[in-house]
Amino acid sequence: MNRDSWTETDPPTVGVVGGGAVGVTAAADLAARGADVTLFDRGELASGSSGRAAGVLYDAYAEDVDAALAARAMDRFRTFDRTLPGFSFTACPYVIAVREGDPDADAVPEMVERMREHGREVSVVDPDALGERFPLRTDDLAVAAVAEGAGWCDPASYVGAIGDRARREGVRIETGTPVAFDGPVASRLRVGGSVRSFDAVVLAAGAHTGRLLASGGVRVPIKPYRVQALTSRPPYDGPMTYDATAGAYFRPHPTGLLAGDGTEPVEADPDEYDRTADDWFREDVSAVLAERADYVPEVERSWAGLCTATPDGDPLVGPVGAPSAGVFVAAGWQGHGFMRAPAMGEHVAEGVVASLSAGSDVRAGSRSARSPWVDAFDPNRFDGDEEFEIREGMSVESRGEHGSRKH
Ligand SMILES: Cc1cc2nc3c(=O)[nH]c(=O)nc-3n(C[C@H](O)[C@H](O)[C@H](O)COP(=O)(O)OP(=O)(O)OC[C@H]3O[C@@H](n4cnc5c(N)ncnc54)[C@H](O)[C@@H]3O)c2cc1C
């Protein structure tokens, strides 16, 4: 299908698999661009990782593409706060704190410099000055940074509100509907007892992405892993804080405070993983809260969910499978999928529209000058059988290690 031939009575059909933050955003943005969209989720909207996310949002990225996408995502969160019924965004600075003796401390000034080069409002702050500005304990810190353009929201509300917007744009949402490829990866989906064909399929199936593609004969290196969070009752009105040395973060929350991390760096089974939080996580995070914020938690709720890792920490976004398959994947967010969803969903929508418009050369992922896709996220950059270790995505090491990549 060529865009020139699109008419209101004959729009391209797109099937979106996955009703998390990425899938609903892509579906709404595709429909807003004239596509005839059906979104499938095996459960309810936000029943995957998006409904379990902490809602920490920031634009503090050191790479050019990441920083641009994060800036766009934050802009959209702010706009949706004003325009989208049922969604609200709360601005709140984000502190990265590194303790004395942590070798990552040396990397922070350069990392912050790169964030600033990309226009992000992030500064290195002397620990004493940090302690004067915020109710945090800072006497054991080697270095800290503050990202001013950050904030938080309730992730399930985002998915619900964008889902409503998608419906208003004409998207048909079929929940309780697991789908599979009907043979090799192609834009034909098995839905219940029937097969439905689309001009394009967007696979935003979160932790199930690897399995779904493998069932259609395409192997990509993507591993789900468990992370954990809790909410606590006593009020907290300080900044969002990531204690990078302890590997834990916390933020204000309507019930009092939300804290998280508890990364278990082993591959998890997306159908069988333990959804309850571990005792060690509650104990470790309680110790960090006491040390960093003089806060004694009364746990209201705690849980575990899945993030997805790739060998290089970058996501898989773009065309996948055979050149003419018409299948586009968006997954592998390394703990940052929710905060980037408004931009990644839009990027996917624009990429799919451009690919359908341009015909096979872009759809094939041929990386021509006309390709709308980001090279660093090309799903075909791996063989698919790579051995790799899961690394926590928020760490200074993970964020600071790439070179200054360009689109
Ligand atoms: C405890 C925790 C805290 C987190 N905190 C943050 C944070 O603060 N900020 C941040 O940016 N990220 C955070 N994350 C990561 C974030 O949750 C994910 O990166 C993001 O939600 C991924 O969104 P998604 O739409 O790609 O996937 P998901 O939300 O997992 O959506 C995928 C959907 O696909 C559906 N699906 C799967 N297979 C099929 C099938 N065969 N047929 C139909 N439907 C199918 C699933 O039911 C699911 O609803 C956190 C994660 C956890 C677990």
Side-chain angles (χ1 to χ4, degrees):
M1 164 117 16
N2 187 300
R3 172 122 214 198
D4 297 339
S5 67
W6 292 12
T7 65
E8 284 190 14
T9 53
D10 184 25
T13 57
V14 183
V16 176
V17 184
V22 176
V24 289
T25 309
D29 287 344
L30 277 159
R33 287 160 177 75
D36 175 352
V37 183
T38 308
L39 181 144
F40 303 99
D41 199 289
R42 66 210 298 264
E44 296 302 315
L45 296 187
S47 58
S49 300
S50 297
R52 297 176 164 264
V56 171
L57 318 172
Y58 53 73
D59 61 356
Y61 288 86
E63 304 307 325
D64 51 0
V65 174
D66 296 332
L69 285 165
R72 175 62 183 153
M74 296 302 294
D75 276 354
R76 290 195 99 189
F77 279 124
R78 291 189 190 94
T79 302
F80 292 148
D81 177 61
R82 296 190 303 275
T83 59
L84 205 59
F87 175 74
S88 68
F89 164 85
T90 303
C92 184
Y94 176 79
V95 170
I96 302 169
V98 184
R99 301 186 191 194
E100 278 168 1
D102 184 336
D104 280 349
D106 294 342
V108 170
E110 198 220 314
M111 179 184 82
V112 168
E113 191 48 43
R114 299 221 311 273
M115 292 170 178
R116 292 172 68 88
E117 279 167 15
H118 300 310
R120 306 302 92 219
E121 197 184 344
V122 187
S123 316
V124 176
V125 183
D126 172 70
D128 289 343
L130 186 75
E132 280 164 27
R133 180 173 171 193
F134 296 123
L136 297 174
R137 193 188 139 204
T138 60
D139 55 357
D140 61 339
L141 298 183
V143 64
V146 180
E148 306 293 345
W152 54 268
C153 73
D154 175 49
S157 305
Y158 174 86
V159 176
I162 298 283
D164 289 343
R165 181 186 149 228
R167 287 189 189 91
R168 288 195 296 275
E169 297 281 3
V171 176
R172 284 175 301 284
I173 297 183
E174 301 188 20
T175 53
T177 308
V179 304
F181 288 110
D182 181 47
V185 164
S187 55
R188 286 158 53 86
L189 296 175
R190 180 160 290 285
V191 185
S194 60
V195 173
R196 292 173 46 186
S197 293
F198 299 90
D199 293 312
V201 162
V202 172
L203 197 57
H208 285 88
T209 300
R211 268 189 196 173
L212 261 173
L213 284 172
S215 74
V218 171
R219 297 192 61 192
V220 289
I222 181 167
K223 291 183 186 175
Y225 62 97
R226 269 175 90 240
V227 300
Q228 307 177 59
L230 60 79
T231 51
S232 164
R233 289 192 188 86
Y236 168 75
D237 64 359
M240 299 195 292
T241 302
Y242 176 55
D243 186 324
T245 308
Y249 60 85
F250 52 92
R251 70 158 172 91
H253 184 269
T255 62
L257 170 144
L258 184 151
D261 198 28
T263 298
E264 198 182 29
V266 291
E267 186 165 359
D269 182 331
D271 293 311
E272 300 286 337
Y273 78 96
D274 183 357
R275 289 163 172 74
T276 58
D278 300 327
D279 288 341
W280 66 261
F281 160 69
R282 282 185 291 267
E283 285 160 19
D284 284 6
V285 101
S286 298
V288 173
L289 289 167
E291 283 169 17
R292 188 65 45 229
D294 201 16
Y295 180 96
V296 181
E298 288 167 33
V299 175
E300 185 227 16
R301 196 167 78 83
S302 59
W303 67 93
L306 297 179
C307 290
T308 44
T310 64
D312 59 8
D314 276 328
L316 309 173
V317 184
V320 70
S324 58
V327 177
F328 303 84
V329 66
W333 311 114
Q334 208 89 28
H336 293 77
F338 181 72
M339 69 178 82
R340 290 187 286 179
M344 295 310 309
E346 182 180 55
H347 172 64
V348 168
E350 286 174 350
V352 170
V353 166
S355 296
L356 289 172
S357 308
S360 59
D361 67 327
V362 176
R363 181 189 289 194
S366 59
R367 308 283 131 200
S368 69
R370 286 197 293 153
S371 173
W373 303 102
V374 175
D375 285 341
F377 302 164
D378 182 358
N380 303 307
R381 69 189 182 277
F382 301 114
D383 295 333
D385 55 1
E386 284 79 0
E387 295 287 327
F388 66 101
E389 289 186 4
I390 294 167
R391 279 176 309 156
E392 198 271 305
M394 285 177 108
S395 69
V396 171
E397 186 202 358
S398 294
R399 288 197 216 170
E401 70 182 7
H402 298 286
S404 213
R405 91 158 93 80
K406 295 280 179 287
H407 181 139

